[in-house]
Amino acid sequence: MHGPSPDILHPFNGEPHTVFLKNVITRPTIEVGDFTYYNDEAHAAEFESRNVRYHFDFVGDRLKIGRFCALAQDTTFIMNGANHAMTGFSTFPFNIFADEWREGFDPATISDHLRGDTIVGHDVWFGTGATVMPGVTICSGAIIGANAVVGSDVPPYAIVVGNPGRVMRLRFDEDTIERLLEIAWWNWPLKKITRNLSAIRGADIDVLEAAAAGYDSGHSRLDAAGQAG
């Protein structure tokens, strides 16, 4: 065995509180990578309808979440459909309620301010109640603290807390972060990930680089029969 299948719906002993998220996504405008999971005691399988808000096809924005991300309960993504026009005195959306209120409405007063796709990298951890605003990019390795509201892009391996969300610190020095992004262990075949979990879970970048180069975490060369996988 080389870990669970990413196609399992409930990977935590079959318990309904945790889902591999890609298996409950139906919209083509949402993409989720393998092994990314969402935990919710009551509504895990309803993530798409409950946690991705104001996501309308006519707006055209996409939500993309990478591999091996961990989303705690009530992690919420606010999409561009939540925007109101802010170019005049009132922000009230008159145009959506009555035909006669649509007359003279200029869609550009909203569309010109849309921020595009929301993108989450790989191996990102979201704390309980984290909220991501439209058009934000959260890079790989980041940690989003509980109840943080993320309104701007998050660099790789940053820890973000608060409302508005701010980068409290980077998890590693810049050189280590560059090396981690080059290694990109989340793109390895599952057999290789499983074989090198001690290096992935560890904190020795040299050991992880050796694994990436085709050595196991004990620095012994893998055999030539394709085991580097």
Side-chain angles (χ1 to χ4, degrees):
M1 292 293 292
H2 298 284
S5 167
D7 299 321
I8 294 173
L9 177 59
H10 297 120
F12 193 80
N13 300 320
E15 295 290 338
H17 56 62
T18 302
V19 295
F20 276 158
L21 196 50
K22 74 166 190 174
N23 301 313
V24 299
I25 297 301
T26 64
R27 300 181 198 168
T29 49
I30 302 177
E31 302 174 23
V32 180
D34 288 349
F35 303 105
T36 286
Y37 72 85
Y38 176 57
N39 174 266
D40 187 316
E41 288 296 327
H43 304 289
E46 301 169 46
F47 176 87
E48 186 177 67
S49 60
R50 297 177 63 92
N51 299 72
V52 185
R53 308 292 304 279
Y54 310 106
H55 196 198
F56 306 127
D57 289 344
F58 64 84
V59 175
D61 55 341
R62 305 177 69 86
L63 171 61
K64 302 179 182 181
I65 305 174
R67 307 180 86 202
F68 295 98
C69 293
L71 283 66
Q73 184 164 321
D74 296 329
T75 298
T76 301
F77 295 87
I78 307 297
M79 304 301 287
N80 282 285
N83 282 283
H84 291 209
M86 296 186 294
T87 56
F89 296 120
S90 176
T91 61
F92 190 81
F94 294 97
N95 58 291
I96 71 174
F97 291 109
D99 288 341
E100 58 268 32
W101 282 1
R102 292 190 184 96
E103 294 180 10
F105 171 68
D106 181 3
T109 58
I110 295 177
S111 61
D112 286 353
H113 301 284
L114 301 185
R115 297 186 59 188
D117 295 343
T118 299
I119 300 173
V120 178
H122 309 283
D123 192 23
V124 176
W125 172 23
F126 292 87
T128 300
T131 300
V132 180
M133 302 304 287
V136 166
T137 294
I138 300 175
C139 293
S140 296
I143 296 174
I144 309 302
N147 298 312
V149 178
V150 185
S152 57
D153 292 351
V154 176
Y157 290 92
I159 299 174
V160 172
V161 298
N163 180 9
R166 60 180 178 82
V167 175
M168 183 174 68
R169 63 179 176 85
L170 298 179
R171 295 174 58 195
F172 309 105
D173 62 80
E174 292 186 5
D175 177 68
T176 299
I177 290 173
E178 289 181 7
R179 294 163 74 182
L180 285 166
L181 294 175
E182 179 68 24
I183 291 168
W185 64 264
W186 42 80
N187 289 328
W188 295 356
L190 191 53
K191 288 182 181 180
K192 184 171 182 174
I193 289 174
T194 302
R195 190 170 54 246
N196 291 286
L197 280 180
S198 59
I200 294 169
R201 290 189 288 225
D204 188 327
I205 190 64
D206 293 330
V207 171
L208 190 58
E209 282 181 329
Y215 292 80
D216 65 22
S217 56
H219 289 262
S220 58
R221 185 66 182 177
L222 298 170
D223 64 61
Q227 293 301 310

